Amino acid sequence: MEQNKYLEDISEIKNMMSRSSRFISLSGISGILAGIYALIGAYLAHSILVKNPLYMFSSKTDVTRYSMLNLNNLYFIAIGVIIAAAITGVLLTLKKSRESGEKMWDVTSKRLVFNFLIPLFTGGLFCLSLIQNEIYGLVAPATLLFYGLACVNASKYTLRDVRYLGFANIIIGLIATQFIGYGLYFWALGFGVFHILYGSIMYFKYDKKN
Amino acid sequence: MSLIDNINKAFDHRIRLGIMSILMVNDYADFNMLKEMLGATDGNLASHTKALEKETYIKVEKQFIGRKPNTRYSTTPLGKAAFKKHINALEKLIGK
């Protein structure tokens, strides 16, 4: 019947509009796993810090008094968490995009990655300069703030839900500026708990339906 | 005037519908992006873009990126208005 054809036309229009402007194959599970990695990382970092009360995120700390080994361990944990989260994210997104027939590396995903990386890269460099100037207390709030901004910026090119993850991280990033020395807890909340929450919401909203 | 009259014959094909949908939400799209999104062959896509260009619903810009020729498509105001009218007509026909 004619009516069916019109219905098909409309759904084709909607499908093309969303697929050409947004990358929608982000995996919810990868968000949950990224959050779990972050919590494990935070736990490991915490146990190092408790053993050697470094309080590296306190502006009053004289980092030079502490052994470089511990500082290096913290960097290793941070880098390990990032790499694990990135690999998991890419693999699960690849799987999901294959299932939905969407190309993983197309115009929309390139645009998404590019726009996500602008604030993130800026933030990374800014944090390096904070470390360089020994303003350690603001590193944790700054990472949360820039990560939040990156999410808000990227949300224009993917599922809108990423926007709320961004807002949440911006808010606790700002709050964290008032609690210098507790950076690790804010990290665990922002990168850990919020990711798990966001990933679960995405999973139940988009992945489970299909 | 019946509702059917608002259905635009120029959009009465899946590929053309796709081209217009993509260009409605993107400032522009190049040939390869359209091809990728629509899963069309070069010749097929070219004939449909030409048809839409003839109606002045879309604008074509040819340029070079480095040494590679690149064809960019975007909607004209006329094309946008015509497509909106077409969508409205489709929705009304379904709604009946």
Side-chain angles (χ1 to χ4, degrees):
Chain A
M1 232 183 80
E2 284 285 285
Q3 190 129 356
N4 275 341
K5 192 195 162 299
Y6 299 140
L7 211 60
E8 259 170 43
D9 281 2
I10 285 281
S11 76
E12 171 74 11
I13 291 169
K14 277 189 186 150
N15 179 26
M16 270 304 147
M17 282 185 170
S18 74
R19 265 185 57 182
S20 67
S21 58
R22 288 165 191 279
F23 183 73
I24 51 172
S25 288
L26 285 184
S27 146
I29 304 255
S30 69
I32 300 175
L33 286 173
I36 293 172
Y37 300 154
L39 285 183
I40 294 171
Y43 173 77
L44 292 175
H46 187 254
S47 54
I48 290 178
L49 289 174
V50 167
K51 257 185 259 162
N52 312 275
L54 174 67
Y55 300 126
M56 70 171 290
F57 302 115
S58 149
S59 55
K60 295 157 200 117
T61 312
D62 177 10
V63 178
T64 50
R65 271 173 46 210
Y66 300 95
S67 75
M68 274 318 277
L69 188 70
N70 284 322
L71 210 56
N72 279 342
N73 280 342
L74 292 178
Y75 285 132
F76 281 133
I77 292 169
I79 291 166
V81 167
I82 291 168
I83 290 175
I87 290 175
T88 313
V90 169
L91 287 180
L92 288 176
T93 300
L94 184 66
K95 183 170 163 274
K96 192 174 163 190
S97 65
R98 278 212 186 120
E99 281 162 7
S100 67
E102 192 181 24
K103 269 204 181 151
M104 162 108 159
W105 197 236
D106 65 359
V107 185
T108 56
S109 59
K110 278 178 203 160
R111 202 159 40 183
L112 169 62
V113 169
F114 181 70
N115 284 286
F116 180 67
L117 286 181
I118 299 170
L120 205 65
F121 202 71
T122 314
L125 291 178
F126 181 72
C127 287
L128 286 179
S129 81
L130 284 178
I131 292 171
Q132 183 188 18
N133 290 294
E134 299 177 14
I135 311 170
Y136 302 104
L138 285 178
V139 172
T143 52
L144 287 165
L145 279 174
F146 281 102
Y147 182 73
L149 290 171
C151 288
V152 170
N153 203 38
S155 70
K156 283 170 248 163
Y157 307 97
T158 182
L159 301 165
R160 296 293 283 185
D161 311 60
V162 176
R163 206 175 181 77
Y164 300 109
L165 177 65
F167 287 144
N169 275 307
I170 291 172
I171 290 167
I172 63 158
L174 287 173
I175 295 173
T177 60
Q178 301 308 306
F179 295 92
I180 304 281
Y182 296 92
L184 195 57
Y185 300 102
F186 283 99
W187 265 347
L189 181 64
F191 294 123
V193 178
F194 285 176
H195 268 140
I196 293 173
L197 248 162
Y198 152 85
S200 320
I201 292 170
M202 300 283 276
Y203 177 73
F204 285 110
K205 205 165 159 188
Y206 303 103
D207 298 356
K208 222 175 160 222
K209 254 194 295 186
N210 308 316
Chain B
M1 198 166 84
S2 87
L3 279 172
I4 301 281
D5 295 337
N6 280 331
I7 290 290
N8 195 329
K9 279 281 166 223
F11 301 133
D12 198 16
H13 188 282
R14 195 189 68 88
I15 302 278
R16 289 186 206 176
L17 218 54
I19 296 169
M20 289 308 290
S21 307
I22 292 168
L23 294 180
M24 289 295 276
V25 291
N26 290 281
D27 294 339
Y28 61 84
D30 63 19
F31 193 81
N32 284 332
M33 174 179 174
L34 290 178
K35 211 173 93 177
E36 228 170 66
M37 286 281 161
L38 297 167
T41 60
D42 283 17
N44 196 0
L45 183 57
S47 77
H48 286 302
T49 51
K50 236 170 234 143
L52 289 170
E53 193 190 353
K54 225 175 106 194
E55 301 274 351
T56 60
Y57 287 159
I58 62 173
K59 206 168 63 195
V60 184
E61 281 170 87
K62 290 188 193 216
Q63 50 172 20
F64 279 85
I65 294 181
R67 282 187 182 170
K68 273 196 198 153
N70 179 275
T71 313
R72 249 185 197 188
Y73 300 92
S74 54
T75 46
T76 61
L78 181 71
K80 269 207 163 97
F83 196 63
K84 268 185 198 145
K85 210 170 133 194
H86 181 71
I87 295 177
N88 283 338
L90 284 175
E91 277 172 344
K92 279 202 185 111
L93 283 167
I94 297 165
K96 265 208 304 189

Short mmCIF file of all heavy atoms in Angstrom, two decimals, chain B residues 3 17-21 24 31 34 36 40-41 47 51 66 69 72 81 85 88 93:
data_model
loop_
_atom_site.label_atom_id
_atom_site.label_comp_id
_atom_site.label_asym_id
_atom_site.label_seq_id
_atom_site.Cartn_x
_atom_site.Cartn_y
_atom_site.Cartn_z
N LEU B 3 -3.68 16.34 -0.77
CA LEU B 3 -2.40 16.17 -0.07
C LEU B 3 -1.33 15.59 -0.97
O LEU B 3 -0.16 15.93 -0.87
CB LEU B 3 -2.60 15.24 1.12
CG LEU B 3 -3.18 15.88 2.37
CD1 LEU B 3 -3.51 14.82 3.39
CD2 LEU B 3 -2.19 16.89 2.95
N LEU B 17 16.12 10.85 -1.50
CA LEU B 17 15.62 11.11 -0.14
C LEU B 17 16.82 11.15 0.83
O LEU B 17 16.92 12.02 1.69
CB LEU B 17 14.70 9.95 0.25
CG LEU B 17 13.45 10.25 1.06
CD1 LEU B 17 12.61 11.31 0.40
CD2 LEU B 17 12.65 8.96 1.23
N GLY B 18 17.71 10.17 0.63
CA GLY B 18 18.90 10.09 1.48
C GLY B 18 19.80 11.30 1.32
O GLY B 18 20.26 11.88 2.30
N ILE B 19 20.05 11.69 0.08
CA ILE B 19 20.92 12.84 -0.18
C ILE B 19 20.37 14.08 0.52
O ILE B 19 21.08 14.78 1.24
CB ILE B 19 21.03 13.12 -1.70
CG1 ILE B 19 21.71 11.96 -2.43
CG2 ILE B 19 21.80 14.42 -1.96
CD1 ILE B 19 21.62 12.05 -3.94
N MET B 20 19.08 14.30 0.35
CA MET B 20 18.47 15.49 0.95
C MET B 20 18.50 15.41 2.48
O MET B 20 18.81 16.41 3.14
CB MET B 20 17.01 15.65 0.47
CG MET B 20 16.86 16.08 -0.98
SD MET B 20 17.81 17.55 -1.42
CE MET B 20 16.93 18.83 -0.54
N SER B 21 18.22 14.23 3.02
CA SER B 21 18.24 14.08 4.49
C SER B 21 19.61 14.41 5.06
O SER B 21 19.73 15.12 6.06
CB SER B 21 17.87 12.66 4.89
OG SER B 21 16.67 12.27 4.30
N MET B 24 20.33 18.11 4.83
CA MET B 24 19.52 18.95 5.72
C MET B 24 20.20 19.14 7.08
O MET B 24 20.06 20.18 7.71
CB MET B 24 18.14 18.32 5.96
CG MET B 24 17.21 18.35 4.78
SD MET B 24 16.73 19.99 4.26
CE MET B 24 15.36 20.33 5.37
N PHE B 31 31.20 13.88 -2.05
CA PHE B 31 30.71 12.74 -2.82
C PHE B 31 30.92 11.42 -2.07
O PHE B 31 30.01 10.60 -1.98
CB PHE B 31 31.41 12.70 -4.18
CG PHE B 31 30.76 11.77 -5.16
CD1 PHE B 31 29.64 12.16 -5.88
CD2 PHE B 31 31.27 10.49 -5.36
CE1 PHE B 31 29.03 11.30 -6.78
CE2 PHE B 31 30.65 9.62 -6.25
CZ PHE B 31 29.54 10.03 -6.97
N LEU B 34 28.54 10.86 0.89
CA LEU B 34 27.21 10.46 0.43
C LEU B 34 27.22 9.00 -0.01
O LEU B 34 26.32 8.22 0.31
CB LEU B 34 26.76 11.35 -0.74
CG LEU B 34 26.45 12.80 -0.40
CD1 LEU B 34 26.08 13.56 -1.66
CD2 LEU B 34 25.31 12.90 0.60
N GLU B 36 29.26 6.61 0.92
CA GLU B 36 29.41 5.73 2.08
C GLU B 36 28.09 5.57 2.83
O GLU B 36 27.68 4.47 3.18
CB GLU B 36 30.41 6.38 3.02
CG GLU B 36 31.49 5.47 3.53
CD GLU B 36 32.55 6.28 4.26
OE1 GLU B 36 32.22 6.84 5.31
OE2 GLU B 36 33.70 6.36 3.76
N ALA B 40 25.60 3.67 -2.33
CA ALA B 40 25.28 3.75 -3.75
C ALA B 40 26.55 3.63 -4.59
O ALA B 40 27.65 3.86 -4.10
CB ALA B 40 24.59 5.08 -4.05
N THR B 41 26.39 3.28 -5.84
CA THR B 41 27.55 3.25 -6.74
C THR B 41 27.81 4.66 -7.26
O THR B 41 26.94 5.53 -7.18
CB THR B 41 27.30 2.34 -7.95
OG1 THR B 41 26.17 2.85 -8.66
CG2 THR B 41 27.02 0.91 -7.52
N SER B 47 23.99 10.34 -10.95
CA SER B 47 22.78 10.68 -11.71
C SER B 47 21.73 11.31 -10.80
O SER B 47 21.02 12.24 -11.20
CB SER B 47 22.23 9.45 -12.43
OG SER B 47 21.57 8.62 -11.51
N ALA B 51 20.22 15.18 -10.95
CA ALA B 51 18.78 15.47 -11.02
C ALA B 51 18.40 16.52 -10.00
O ALA B 51 17.66 17.47 -10.31
CB ALA B 51 18.00 14.19 -10.80
N GLY B 66 44.48 19.47 -2.00
CA GLY B 66 45.79 19.03 -2.48
C GLY B 66 45.69 18.84 -3.98
O GLY B 66 45.33 19.77 -4.71
N PRO B 69 40.65 15.98 -6.69
CA PRO B 69 39.41 16.72 -6.90
C PRO B 69 38.39 16.31 -5.85
O PRO B 69 38.36 15.16 -5.42
CB PRO B 69 38.96 16.30 -8.30
CG PRO B 69 39.60 14.98 -8.52
CD PRO B 69 40.88 14.96 -7.73
N ARG B 72 31.72 18.90 -3.46
CA ARG B 72 30.97 19.16 -2.25
C ARG B 72 29.53 19.51 -2.59
O ARG B 72 29.28 20.31 -3.49
CB ARG B 72 31.57 20.41 -1.60
CG ARG B 72 32.28 20.14 -0.34
CD ARG B 72 32.69 21.45 0.22
NE ARG B 72 33.72 21.22 1.21
CZ ARG B 72 34.20 22.17 2.00
NH1 ARG B 72 33.77 23.42 1.88
NH2 ARG B 72 35.10 21.88 2.89
N ALA B 81 13.40 24.27 1.62
CA ALA B 81 11.96 24.52 1.72
C ALA B 81 11.17 23.40 1.07
O ALA B 81 10.18 22.91 1.63
CB ALA B 81 11.63 25.87 1.08
N LYS B 85 8.57 20.74 2.93
CA LYS B 85 7.20 20.59 2.46
C LYS B 85 6.91 19.11 2.17
O LYS B 85 5.84 18.59 2.50
CB LYS B 85 7.03 21.42 1.18
CG LYS B 85 5.63 21.95 0.97
CD LYS B 85 5.61 22.94 -0.19
CE LYS B 85 4.46 22.61 -1.11
NZ LYS B 85 4.57 23.32 -2.40
N ASN B 88 6.50 17.24 5.44
CA ASN B 88 5.18 17.54 6.02
C ASN B 88 4.09 16.76 5.31
O ASN B 88 3.18 16.22 5.95
CB ASN B 88 4.89 19.04 5.90
CG ASN B 88 5.66 19.82 6.95
OD1 ASN B 88 6.06 19.26 7.98
ND2 ASN B 88 5.90 21.10 6.69
N LEU B 93 0.14 12.36 5.27
CA LEU B 93 -0.42 11.19 4.60
C LEU B 93 -0.43 9.97 5.54
O LEU B 93 -1.35 9.15 5.50
CB LEU B 93 0.38 10.86 3.35
CG LEU B 93 0.08 11.76 2.16
CD1 LEU B 93 1.12 11.59 1.08
CD2 LEU B 93 -1.31 11.47 1.62
#
